[in-house]
Amino acid sequence: MAGFPRKTAALIGAGMVAKTHLAALADSQCANLACVVARSPEKAMGLLSEMTAQYPKGAPVVHMVDAVADTSIDFAIVLTPPDARAEIIRPLAEAGKHILLEKPMGRNAQEAREVVEICEAAGVSLGVVLQHRMRESAQAARDLIESGKLGALGVVEIAVPWWRDQSYYDEPGRGTYARDGGGVLISQAIHTLDLALSLAGPVETVQAMASTTRFHAMEAEDFVTAGLRFKGGAVGSIVASTASYPGGAESIRLHFEKSSLTLEGGALDVHWRDGRHEVIGAAAATGGGADPMAFTHDWHQAVIDDFAASLDAGRAPAITGRDALAVHDLIDAIVESAAQNTPIEVNS
């Protein structure tokens, strides 16, 4: 991916995932960190001081207006909570800064569409950090599916058996509708749902149940189960939880006419009906246990490198804002179905 001048990035936000992005930028072959923008300069400077091996001279911590006006900045990586997206992205986009946005794009599909439309109106690129698509196992599964060797898809099983202890939800705003837009679906399961949709195609209808278990004091849901009917004719299910102690790796099982694929953690198991068995990739921590940051920064780096390379090549990034609308529409439909206790058609 190297071979072109590195792009410069402003990192906006100094929350939980910022350290992962800083590590990814430090190892990037395609992008450099220009500055950090945060509501708390002290927090941002403290974060940088923890990473002196990667950033021995630190990086400037600047105000938002300075990042907007800095003509040397090619794109912004926006890490803020989803309740503060449009107001941050609009001035950046209007100043010609391309946007790489942490999931979710908004608290619901309507807000996600607003962000997409802001960037399209300004003529800037919008990428989304749904990094599970960048795993070797996910790309191998996609190649197999696109080869046509598997036959028709019949059944999809999605499981996110994660755990978060109460201290996670004690942070102000976490697990609330006002800040996060919901609970396990929009904050955790969104990654697995997005990857499943990218492999299995769009969902037509859902019937769901959602609840907050006795294990958490929080506003939104920490447990969801739903039946899915895909537009291609397959049926499926999802169970997503942050109440499944001690937490385990998320999985996607895709059952085709000639083979079944299992994506779990970072590995792909391929069981052919003629008896062959293949394993691609390796198991990897994904943040499913008590430590939500227990995962490699390699997948984030792959997203950042692809985004920077896409700007140089004048192409769309691997995961566009338009692409990510599908998972937002599915999450909205699951939430509505659970609230109404009835099947809901997914917007498309």
Side-chain angles (χ1 to χ4, degrees):
M1 233 180 253
F4 60 86
R6 287 173 178 249
K7 302 299 181 184
T8 58
L11 191 71
I12 300 178
M16 182 180 291
V17 78
K19 192 171 182 178
T20 301
H21 281 273
L22 286 170
L25 281 164
D27 287 345
S28 173
Q29 302 299 305
C30 305
N32 291 323
L33 175 66
C35 62
V36 178
V37 180
R39 283 179 293 186
S40 169
E42 295 78 14
K43 186 175 182 179
M45 288 186 285
L47 184 65
L48 286 165
S49 71
E50 294 178 22
M51 305 187 70
T52 53
Q54 293 95 333
Y55 298 100
K57 296 182 181 179
V61 178
V62 303
H63 294 290
M64 184 68 181
V65 66
D66 296 320
V68 170
D70 188 342
T71 57
S72 72
I73 293 172
D74 298 301
F75 68 101
I77 304 174
V78 181
L79 312 180
T80 61
D83 64 334
R85 290 290 167 75
E87 64 191 59
I88 288 172
I89 289 169
R90 192 183 302 277
L92 288 164
E94 290 176 350
K97 312 300 182 191
H98 302 284
I99 306 295
L100 182 56
L101 181 58
E102 258 291 348
K103 63 78 190 167
M105 291 194 292
R107 291 171 293 184
N108 52 51
Q110 180 180 345
E111 290 185 356
R113 278 186 168 76
E114 181 184 3
V115 168
V116 171
E117 290 165 1
I118 287 170
C119 292
E120 288 180 347
V124 299
S125 185
L126 172 62
V128 185
V129 184
L130 289 162
Q131 71 274 7
H132 289 197
R133 293 203 205 183
M134 308 304 284
R135 296 171 175 172
E136 177 192 1
S137 55
Q139 294 176 355
R142 184 173 300 109
D143 290 343
L144 265 176
I145 293 167
E146 291 177 353
S147 75
K149 297 176 181 177
L150 305 178
L153 178 64
V155 177
V156 178
E157 301 169 276
I158 304 165
V160 186
W162 283 17
W163 168 253
R164 294 290 183 266
D165 60 30
Q166 183 57 42
S167 62
Y168 177 84
Y169 292 110
D170 287 341
E171 178 180 309
R174 185 166 285 155
T176 66
Y177 296 106
R179 193 194 81 162
D180 289 350
V184 63
L185 279 176
I186 194 108
S187 295
Q188 284 85 29
I190 186 171
H191 283 295
T192 309
L193 288 172
D194 170 75
L195 178 55
L197 290 177
S198 75
L199 298 172
V203 172
E204 186 173 61
T205 59
V206 303
Q207 185 155 12
M209 185 274 283
S211 184
T212 307
T213 71
R214 64 182 62 186
F215 301 134
H216 292 131
M218 58 185 290
E219 181 183 12
E221 85 290 342
D222 66 354
F223 178 88
V224 174
T225 184
L228 312 172
R229 188 171 297 278
F230 289 79
K231 287 189 175 180
V235 295
S237 64
I238 174 174
V239 178
S241 169
T242 52
S244 300
Y245 182 85
E250 67 284 350
S251 65
I252 301 170
R253 290 179 168 83
L254 305 169
H255 301 283
F256 293 86
E257 288 177 313
K258 298 179 182 179
S259 181
S260 290
L261 311 184
T262 299
L263 285 152
E264 186 166 359
L268 169 65
D269 267 282
V270 185
H271 288 271
W272 295 91
R273 296 205 181 185
D274 63 10
R276 288 176 293 149
H277 177 219
E278 302 173 57
V279 178
I280 300 169
T286 61
D291 180 3
M293 303 312 295
F295 54 82
T296 176
H297 68 264
D298 292 349
W299 304 323
H300 286 74
Q301 182 186 335
V303 173
I304 290 170
D305 283 349
D306 171 82
F307 189 78
S310 75
L311 299 181
D312 186 70
R315 60 167 174 84
I319 309 154
T320 69
R322 280 278 167 200
D323 292 336
L325 288 177
V327 73
H328 278 279
D329 286 334
L330 176 57
I331 289 171
D332 276 14
I334 293 172
V335 170
E336 185 179 355
S337 175
Q340 297 188 18
N341 192 29
T342 189
I344 294 293
E345 289 188 9
V346 180
N347 182 41
S348 58

